[in-house]
Amino acid sequence: MSAESLHDGAWDWIVIDRLEFDTIIGIYPHEREQVQPLRVDIRLGVAPIFETAQSDDISTTVDYQRVCETVIALAQSGQFNLVETLAQRCADALFAAFPIQAIQLSVSKPLALPYTRGVGVEIFRRRPVVEFEPQ
């Protein structure tokens, strides 16, 4: 029995803490006129990393630089009013681009309200299971 079969259904986590960049996001006119900082924390549930740990080869895991580039490009498109929408679209894009099984993602606007450290949303999603029915 392989080490992987012993852990079927288990995940390891790739963690990206405090991805920070500037973008246009918000519903108010002043938020649409100039960039503001955005903070994104990402946890990616992946298959156990046994193979990656043995091979020491990036092709056997998720490249977190590409994950960051994907999130930044999506956010900096400027098309989102709500952090809720951005969070869901990031999850959708990451599922489409990478072999991940789950995502925990938070998006925060640190300067949105002066009396807070930030406001935002946190989501958890599992990869959608597509069931095929015989015809």
Side-chain angles (χ1 to χ4, degrees):
M1 182 178 288
S2 74
E4 285 187 33
S5 64
L6 290 172
H7 296 281
D8 286 344
W11 301 326
D12 288 337
W13 295 91
I14 293 173
V15 178
I16 300 170
D17 284 329
R18 294 184 66 133
L19 174 60
E20 297 177 315
F21 53 91
D22 293 332
T23 192
I24 300 279
I25 189 166
I27 60 171
Y28 298 108
H30 69 276
E31 293 179 304
R32 305 301 305 165
E33 293 169 0
Q34 69 181 44
V35 297
Q36 64 180 298
L38 201 66
R39 181 178 301 137
V40 180
D41 293 309
I42 307 166
R43 290 175 47 101
L44 304 172
V46 297
I49 60 169
F50 302 115
E51 179 184 346
T52 300
Q54 291 177 353
S55 70
D56 202 26
D57 182 356
I58 189 68
S59 70
T60 63
T61 189
V62 174
D63 183 339
Y64 49 80
Q65 179 174 338
R66 286 188 48 228
V67 169
C68 292
E69 291 168 354
T70 299
V71 169
I72 291 170
L74 188 60
Q76 289 184 335
S77 71
Q79 63 183 338
F80 304 106
N81 293 325
L82 302 175
V83 292
E84 291 86 345
T85 306
L86 175 60
Q88 183 61 54
R89 298 281 170 79
C90 285
D92 294 342
L94 294 174
F95 278 128
F98 300 98
I100 54 181
Q101 300 307 308
I103 298 172
Q104 183 174 339
L105 186 137
S106 68
V107 180
S108 177
K109 294 167 47 173
L111 301 180
L113 297 174
Y115 43 86
T116 70
R117 290 181 64 183
V119 296
V121 63
E122 183 172 333
I123 65 171
F124 176 81
R125 302 288 184 266
R126 293 177 191 251
R127 177 176 287 284
V129 176
V130 178
E131 296 197 23
F132 298 98
E133 295 187 27
Q135 296 185 5

